[in-house]
Amino acid sequence: MYDNWEELKNCCMGCQRCELAQTRKNLVFGVGNPNAEVMFIGEGPGEQEDLRGEPFVGRGGQLLDKMLAVVDLDRNKNIYIANIVKCRPPKNRDPRPEEQEQCIGWLRNQTKLIRPKIIVCLGRISAAKIIKPDIKITKEHGIFFERNGTLLMATLHPAALLRNPSNKPAAMEDYFRLRDKIKEICTHTYDDQLNI
Ligand code: URA
């Protein structure tokens, strides 16, 4: 456990804990404000993310940014975004359980330092690892679960919404529920809005 964000990041960037290290172009540590009250967690980097070293920068990421903007969330201001695994699985296969287990310590350390009030899991793999292994995302998205004082919510993965655009309105509802919850329990996420 690192107490210092920069030390954590420096050490993580050289990670060789699993075989994904061998095929990565860039490790994707995360992006956003480490003082955020709201954290988003995806599955793992895809091709674009591997090339650029930043999470959610492909087509799915562009959709994510648009949906976030509707509820005044912005990766460069008031949220933090990371993934369950920090390196791209070859051909975008699902990260294996052992890869998830070897990597999750980094995410746990990030989460301990950020101390988010709300964690949003993007997609089934993230929700299964963080909320509960048997989560049914189609039925249980948008529901807040509480664990040790942190609220956890799953929503549909942006890439799944690109494949099934008819699910976009249901997913957007999750973001509206998130906005309501932020207004209820967060203290500085929407500070900008207070100053208008
Ligand atoms: N999909 C994810 O789950 N995470 C990313 O960073 C990109 C695509």
Side-chain angles (χ1 to χ4, degrees):
M1 167 81 186
Y2 292 87
D3 299 323
N4 176 279
W5 186 263
E6 284 310 312
E7 268 181 43
L8 170 66
K9 181 165 183 181
N10 284 338
C11 189
C12 179
M13 293 307 283
C15 182
Q16 299 285 341
R17 285 182 191 172
C18 83
E19 64 188 23
L20 298 181
Q22 258 105 67
T23 48
R24 74 176 176 232
K25 294 203 168 65
N26 286 290
L27 184 147
V28 179
F29 183 71
V31 69
N33 185 343
N35 297 313
E37 295 169 304
V38 184
M39 196 169 167
F40 285 76
I41 301 177
E43 174 181 325
E47 186 182 20
Q48 292 305 312
E49 292 76 19
D50 181 51
L51 287 170
R52 289 178 45 188
E54 182 172 331
F56 288 100
V57 291
R59 277 187 68 222
Q62 289 168 21
L63 174 60
L64 175 64
D65 282 340
K66 275 192 200 168
M67 296 174 83
L68 290 171
V70 173
V71 293
D72 300 308
L73 296 176
D74 180 334
R75 66 172 72 200
N76 296 315
K77 292 199 175 110
N78 53 4
I79 58 172
Y80 194 85
I81 307 179
N83 282 308
I84 298 286
V85 296
K86 304 214 176 297
C87 299
R88 183 193 183 198
K91 298 180 187 158
N92 297 348
R93 64 164 171 74
D94 288 351
R96 297 187 178 123
E98 64 271 21
E99 292 160 353
Q100 296 185 33
E101 209 40 54
Q102 277 150 344
C103 199
I104 196 116
W106 298 119
L107 182 65
R108 288 211 181 96
N109 200 334
Q110 285 173 298
T111 308
K112 283 204 175 115
L113 295 184
I114 295 174
R115 296 193 300 124
K117 294 202 161 64
I118 303 175
I119 294 176
V120 179
C121 296
L122 296 164
R124 178 185 57 85
I125 300 248
S126 166
K129 190 74 184 163
I130 292 183
I131 303 179
K132 53 178 178 173
D134 59 345
I135 192 157
K136 289 273 166 288
I137 201 124
T138 45
K139 269 174 68 177
E140 296 180 283
H141 69 90
I143 297 174
F144 287 98
F145 299 84
E146 194 264 352
R147 191 190 301 140
N148 302 328
T150 307
L151 292 181
L152 312 174
M153 183 189 91
T155 189
L156 304 175
H157 195 285
L161 297 176
L162 291 174
R163 287 193 296 272
N164 288 307
S166 62
N167 288 334
K168 280 186 196 172
M172 203 58 235
E173 283 301 318
D174 297 344
Y175 289 78
F176 291 132
R177 297 196 57 167
L178 173 63
R179 179 175 62 186
D180 291 345
K181 190 58 81 179
I182 292 171
K183 287 185 178 164
E184 192 184 317
I185 69 166
C186 292
T187 58
H188 59 261
T189 298
Y190 288 142
D191 265 3
D192 277 0
Q193 278 72 20
L194 291 178
N195 297 330
I196 287 173

